[in-house]
């Protein structure tokens, strides 16, 4: 789950990290002028809150003065006007795609003079299953671009003892900072790691981390992603979810405890088991089409789940054909076959379907599908099944 910048900053504040004071306005801007009194300025910074980066360099659909989604404003009477032009407008950035994202929330923050910008992020190192840090003196800009053109400018830092974070002094030279600033950075990293572990984050990105004109570090932008699988431990964070930023089909699947990821292709996939689902998507790609989704029905796949899976696939207008790939272990293929038939009838499902069964009662399952007269194709061989579903999509 992704947090908005302002929500992330509330967490940073709780962990005593240096962020500037700001106020969020959700859908309603009428209170801006009186609230501005409580924020130090000029300048103020007006920031569109969407779940995507690159806002500063982004452009609005309803273009005003060619301005981006983050603006430093020095005249008080302009703050409201700019916020008004942003709200309900669609912001298109490098990360949103051409469709852009509608701005529903505006964050107004005290401005800050920037002496130097850095990039800092904390993520999970999959090799050690521990948080690690990426840091760069090339901050403020597109870090993907830095990674591509100047990979040596990004430094990867691993921690031997997470309860006692000690940065190596070579960072002083690498980042061109003073000894005092290095000590300050060490404290910041310590607190960030504590926050990361405490909230079960999957990533924290601060870009830019800046030195202000007094030579102190400020976390000027922040993106926090939380680990969905640990959200049950944090009901208070769960409430921060902005439903309007989520894919409605993914939300529906989550409600039903299914692992569903919406993709852009044309072949709907309904599979039991994550590994088999990945392999199914690979084969579809190999035959020249793209999967419309990842969908793992789970080990308890039954008729009810098949109906829900069909419903989700049916609501995706990109889908042209469907591959059902079931390995019968605990579940029996004949039971699933009956479930599929009931689901197809109940939903009046019209798209071509290829079914592949292996494992427990697969033969009985195939017979049921073949006798159903619903136009479904049953194929035992994985490769042949994938080929067929690709043909049917054309
Ligand atoms: P992003 O484009 O979505 O990553 O949004 P950011 O919050 O990083 O803002 C983009 C850029 O605006 C930053 O890299 C800064 O250079 C600039 N910026 C943001 N806040 C301030 C501020 O308080 N003062 C100044 N001078 N610049 C700011
Ligand atoms: Mn940024």
């Amino acid at each position: 789950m992704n947090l908005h910048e302002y929500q992330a900053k509330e967490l940073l504040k709780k962990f005593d990290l240096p962020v500037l004071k700001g106020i969020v306005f959700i859908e309603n801007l009428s209170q801006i002028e009186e609230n501005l009194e409580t924020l130090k300025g000029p300048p103020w910074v007006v920031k569109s809150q969407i779940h995507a980066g690159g806002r500063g360099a982004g452009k609005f659909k309803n273009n005003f003065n060619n301005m981006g989604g983050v603006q430093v404003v020095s005249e008080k009477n302009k703050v409201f006007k700019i916020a008004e032009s942003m709200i309900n407008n669609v912001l298109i950035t490098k990360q949103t795609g051409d469709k852009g994202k509608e701005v529903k929330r505006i964050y107004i923050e005290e401005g800050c003079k920037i002496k130097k910008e850095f990039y800092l992020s904390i993520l999970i190192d999959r090799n050690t299953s521990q948080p690690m840090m990426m840091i760069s003196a090339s901050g403020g800009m597109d870090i993907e671009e830095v990674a591509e053109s100047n990979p040596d400018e990004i430094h990867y830092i691993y921690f031997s003892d997470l309860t006692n974070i000690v940065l190596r002094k070579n960072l002083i030279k690498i980042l061109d900072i003073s000894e005092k600033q290095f000590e300050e950075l060490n404290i910041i990293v310590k607190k960030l790691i504590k926050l990361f572990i405490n909230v079960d984050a999957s990533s924290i990105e601060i870009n830019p981390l800046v030195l202000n004109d007094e030579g102190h570090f400020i976390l000027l932008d922040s993106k926090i992603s939380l680990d969905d699988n640990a959200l049950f431990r944090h009901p208070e964070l769960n409430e921060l979810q902005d439903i309007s930023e989520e894919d409605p089909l993914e939300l529906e699947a989550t409600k039903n405890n299914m692992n569903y990821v919406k993709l852009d292709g044309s072949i709907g996939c309904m599979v039991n088991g994550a590994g088999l689902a990945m392999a199914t998507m690979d084969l579809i790609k190999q035959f020249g089409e793209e999967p419309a989704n990842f969908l793992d029905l789970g080990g308890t796949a039954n008729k009810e789940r098949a109906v829900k899976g069909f419903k989700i696939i049916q609501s995706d207008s990109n889908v042209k054909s469907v591959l059902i790939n079931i390995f019968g272990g605990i579940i029996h293929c004949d039971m699933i076959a009956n479930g599929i038939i009931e689901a197809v009838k109940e939903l009046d499902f019209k798209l071509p379907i290829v079914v592949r069964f292996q494992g427990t009662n697969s033969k009985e399952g195939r017979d049921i599908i073949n006798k159903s007269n619903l136009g479904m194709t049953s194929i035992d061989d994985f490769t042949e099944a994938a080929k067929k579903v690709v043909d049917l999509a054309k």
Side-chain angles (χ1 to χ4, degrees), residues 248-262:
L249 294 180
E250 291 189 11
L251 276 179
E252 183 60 29
T254 307
K255 258 195 250 158
N256 292 302
N257 283 319
M258 286 180 192
N259 291 313
Y260 172 86
V261 181
K262 166 102 180 66

Side-chain angles (χ1 to χ4, degrees), residues 50-276:
I50 55 169
H51 285 184
R55 295 164 302 166
K59 288 277 164 289
F60 284 98
K61 201 167 199 174
N62 197 346
N63 196 325
F64 62 104
N65 303 334
N66 229 7
M67 299 271 225
V70 174
Q71 292 178 38
V72 182
V73 186
S74 40
E75 287 146 81
K76 206 170 214 169
N77 59 356
K78 278 199 177 156
V79 171
F80 177 76
K81 269 195 196 142
I82 288 176
E84 204 184 19
S85 311
M86 286 182 179
I87 199 131
N88 299 325
N89 205 335
V90 173
L91 180 57
I92 301 164
T93 82
K94 237 180 158 173
Q95 291 184 7
T96 61
D98 297 338
K99 262 173 73 186
K101 281 193 169 223
E102 196 177 341
V103 178
K104 290 284 184 195
R105 305 177 187 209
I106 304 279
Y107 191 50
I108 301 185
E109 205 175 58
E110 294 177 347
C112 145
K113 291 224 174 73
I114 301 176
K115 270 239 183 95
K116 206 166 158 23
E117 294 185 295
F118 305 86
Y119 172 93
L120 186 160
S121 63
I122 315 269
L123 353 137
I124 296 280
D125 172 26
R126 304 274 160 198
N127 290 326
T128 58
S129 311
Q130 279 198 346
M132 50 112 30
M133 173 168 97
M134 284 167 70
I135 193 160
S136 174
S138 305
M141 49 185 122
D142 195 344
I143 196 69
E144 284 83 4
E145 217 170 287
V146 178
E148 208 157 285
S149 51
N150 295 310
D152 295 346
E153 286 180 13
I154 301 176
H155 304 275
Y156 301 81
I157 310 224
Y158 303 88
F159 306 104
S160 53
D161 180 2
L162 288 170
T163 61
N164 183 26
I165 301 285
V166 185
L167 296 176
R168 288 180 53 191
K169 289 232 168 176
N170 62 350
L171 274 182
I172 294 177
K173 214 169 161 193
I174 289 172
L175 301 176
D176 189 20
I177 53 177
S178 70
E179 185 109 8
K180 242 175 130 183
Q181 288 162 345
F182 170 79
E183 297 304 333
E184 207 173 301
L185 181 65
N186 206 336
I187 294 170
I188 286 174
V189 173
K190 215 178 250 184
K191 289 175 180 170
L192 278 174
I193 295 278
K194 192 172 158 201
L195 167 65
F196 188 97
I197 293 171
N198 203 283
V199 300
D200 289 309
S202 50
S203 67
I204 296 181
E205 183 180 63
I206 310 296
N207 188 25
L209 165 72
V210 304
L211 281 171
N212 67 10
D213 53 353
E214 284 157 12
H216 293 295
F217 279 110
I218 308 276
L219 285 61
L220 215 51
D221 186 14
S222 62
K223 294 199 166 43
I224 297 186
S225 270
L226 302 174
D227 181 350
D228 292 339
N229 291 320
L231 268 178
F232 73 97
R233 303 207 288 200
H234 310 281
E236 75 293 351
L237 295 177
N238 215 346
E239 277 168 25
L240 298 179
Q241 184 177 46
D242 180 357
I243 303 264
S244 69
E245 288 275 354
E246 309 290 333
D247 183 278
L249 294 180
E250 291 189 11
L251 276 179
E252 183 60 29
T254 307
K255 258 195 250 158
N256 292 302
N257 283 319
M258 286 180 192
N259 291 313
Y260 172 86
V261 181
K262 166 102 180 66
L263 301 166
D264 297 329
S266 60
I267 314 251
C269 301
M270 196 150 88
V271 188
N272 69 329
L276 190 58

